[in-house]
């Protein structure tokens, strides 16, 4: 009987580079954030970045790496990520070591949960209704680069303006603020009517009318009212699921609203687990929902 002996020796960086050259096994480098370019032996080095907030130290390290290993520029991706193009195969190990020494990990690609995107939320934006960056940081810490059947994208946006397009992500979180009218405080200044971008407020014959079917719960009327006649009835988080773009785009479904921050993480965990257990080959979460039905999905993750 013949036995095959497997060596336990871990290949060195140079040996890995040679393996890639001879076997065209780009997966070895893809795990470290290197994406093949159309030019032979050149890669874009994708870096981990969450929520679009990059420290000055991060930027300096990336600028140095772009000068040293690339062509002196970086590409900012559509998902707030950073890539350094034109890193030659022979320089991939050194480039990755430089990033590691600056605590900058590789970006995710393939069948993984991608980096979370987020606006600045209520930390900076006057229209922000939730702490987008805080939520983003927590989700990124828990889920970034975790394996999934295909890919899974998450976005957090501060208000219904949806600057981060949460409806186009597998899991989206949007801040909301539902107004209530206190008639005795109103002086009919019309400020709220002018501020409402969805025509949900009208003033006629000395009376104010709210059409809650048109209201998007952005809080603009509350923000401009100086007499406290538009007040915050409840504020929290709207969760969307199943969105995606690409060749077969799909708008996300509004799953639920909650005022409890912890519900976000409970629903996200159940959604990811459901996706892992239910998805067929090549399916995104939206494809799964289309196949099983939104009602069944909603019932399962309650």
């Amino acid at each position: 009987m013949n036995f095959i002996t497997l060596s336990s020796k871990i290949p060195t960086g140079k040996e890995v580079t040679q393996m890639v050259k001879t076997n065209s096994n780009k997966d070895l480098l893809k795990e470290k954030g290197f994406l093949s370019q159309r030019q032979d032996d050149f890669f874009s080095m994708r870096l981990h970045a969450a929520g679009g907030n990059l420290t000055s130290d991060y930027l300096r390290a990336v600028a140095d790496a772009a000068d040293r290993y690339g062509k002196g520029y970086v590409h900012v991706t559509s998902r707030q990520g950073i890539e350094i193009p034109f890193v030659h195969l022979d320089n991939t190990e050194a480039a990755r070591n430089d990033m590691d020494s600056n605590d900058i990990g590789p970006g995710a690609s393939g069948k993984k949960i991608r980096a979370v995107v987020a606006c600045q939320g209520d930390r900076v934006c006057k229209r922000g209704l939730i702490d987008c960056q805080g939520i983003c940081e927590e989700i990124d810490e828990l889920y970034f680069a975790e394996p999934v059947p295909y890919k899974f994208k998450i976005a957090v946006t501060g208000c219904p303006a949806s600057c981060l397009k949460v409806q186009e992500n597998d899991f989206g979180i949007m801040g909301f603020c539902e107004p209530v009218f206190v008639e005795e405080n109103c002086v009919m200044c019309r400020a709220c009517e002018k501020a409402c971008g969805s025509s949900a407020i009208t003033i006629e014959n000395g009376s104010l009318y709210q059409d809650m079917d048109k209201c998007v719960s952005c809080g603009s009327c509350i923000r401009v009212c100086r007499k406290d006649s538009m007040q915050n009835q409840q504020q929290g988080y709207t969760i969307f699921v199943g969105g995606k773009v690409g060749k077969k785009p799909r708008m996300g479904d509004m799953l639920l609203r909650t005022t409890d921050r912890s519900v976000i993480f409970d629903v996200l965990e159940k959604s990811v687990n459901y996706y892992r257990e239910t998805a067929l080959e090549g399916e995104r979460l939206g494809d799964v929902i289309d196949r099983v039905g939104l009602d069944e999905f909603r019932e399962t993750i309650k």
Side-chain angles (χ1 to χ4, degrees):
M1 182 178 292
N2 295 324
F3 293 91
I4 298 175
T5 303
L6 299 179
S7 173
S8 60
K9 179 176 178 290
I10 298 174
T12 65
K14 288 183 178 179
E15 288 170 338
V16 169
T17 300
Q18 188 60 37
M19 288 168 62
V20 174
K21 281 185 174 180
T22 56
N23 300 330
S24 299
N25 188 0
K26 301 297 191 295
D27 290 341
L28 290 171
L29 288 175
K30 192 174 183 180
E31 284 296 312
K32 296 184 178 183
F34 293 97
L35 307 179
S36 299
Q37 292 185 192
R38 64 191 305 161
Q39 295 86 3
D40 289 343
D41 292 341
F42 282 96
F43 297 80
S44 286
M45 180 167 64
R46 179 175 291 179
L47 306 175
H48 182 204
N53 273 6
L54 309 175
T55 67
S56 55
D57 287 340
Y58 180 108
L59 292 172
R60 276 189 284 268
V62 170
D64 289 344
D67 286 338
R68 188 174 298 119
Y69 304 111
K71 289 192 174 183
Y73 75 95
V74 301
H75 173 67
V76 180
T77 74
S78 61
R79 294 192 61 80
Q80 300 179 323
I82 298 292
E83 293 178 1
I84 300 176
F86 290 99
V87 179
H88 192 270
L89 180 61
D90 293 340
N91 294 327
T92 53
E93 182 182 13
R96 184 65 261 160
N97 288 340
D98 271 10
M99 295 297 94
D100 289 341
S101 67
N102 284 281
D103 294 322
I104 301 174
S109 60
K111 297 180 179 181
K112 294 181 180 179
I113 296 179
R114 305 301 176 81
V116 187
V117 296
C119 70
Q120 298 192 79
D122 64 5
R123 294 187 183 183
V124 174
C125 181
K126 64 183 180 181
R127 294 181 176 82
L129 301 171
I130 58 174
D131 180 16
C132 297
Q133 289 296 319
I135 294 169
C136 169
E137 291 160 10
E138 190 169 345
I139 292 176
D140 188 74
E141 180 69 25
L142 291 169
Y143 292 100
F144 173 69
E146 287 294 304
V148 283
Y150 188 43
K151 65 176 75 170
F152 198 93
K153 297 181 178 181
I154 304 169
V156 190
T157 201
C159 75
S162 196
C163 295
L164 268 292
K165 304 176 184 177
V166 295
Q167 298 94 331
E168 297 178 1
N169 285 259
D170 297 275
F171 195 90
I173 303 155
M174 174 192 289
F176 82 88
C177 180
E178 190 173 296
V180 60
F181 177 52
V182 182
E183 186 175 4
E184 57 266 30
N185 294 344
C186 186
V187 296
M188 298 297 163
C189 69
R190 309 185 85 95
C192 60
E193 182 184 38
K194 294 175 183 177
C196 181
S198 56
S199 301
I201 299 173
T202 56
I203 296 175
E204 296 177 1
N205 302 320
S207 296
L208 184 145
Y209 302 93
Q210 282 181 285
D211 186 342
M212 296 309 293
D213 289 333
K214 292 182 178 180
C215 178
V216 296
S217 302
C218 65
S220 294
C221 57
I222 299 170
R223 200 163 48 246
V224 300
C225 183
R226 298 294 179 263
K227 298 297 181 180
D228 207 28
S229 61
M230 283 294 180
Q231 297 181 12
N232 184 356
Q233 181 169 248
Q234 64 173 350
Q235 185 167 333
Y237 315 89
T238 303
I239 296 177
F240 295 86
V241 291
K244 62 174 182 174
V245 289
K247 294 178 180 178
K248 296 181 179 180
R250 181 189 192 279
M251 290 295 287
D253 298 300
M254 192 181 89
L255 188 69
L256 58 86
R257 275 184 171 178
T258 180
T259 59
D260 186 346
R261 190 178 186 275
S262 67
V263 170
I264 297 171
F265 296 90
D266 180 57
V267 173
L268 176 56
E269 176 71 8
K270 290 177 179 177
S271 297
V272 171
N273 287 338
Y274 185 87
Y275 178 47
R276 285 171 172 158
E277 295 166 2
T278 312
L280 302 178
E281 179 68 26
E283 282 189 330
R284 294 280 292 274
L285 180 61
D287 301 318
V288 175
I289 293 172
D290 286 339
R291 177 164 52 82
V292 304
L294 180 61
D295 289 341
E296 180 177 325
F297 177 78
R298 181 182 280 116
E299 188 65 29
T300 304
I301 60 98
K302 280 185 179 178

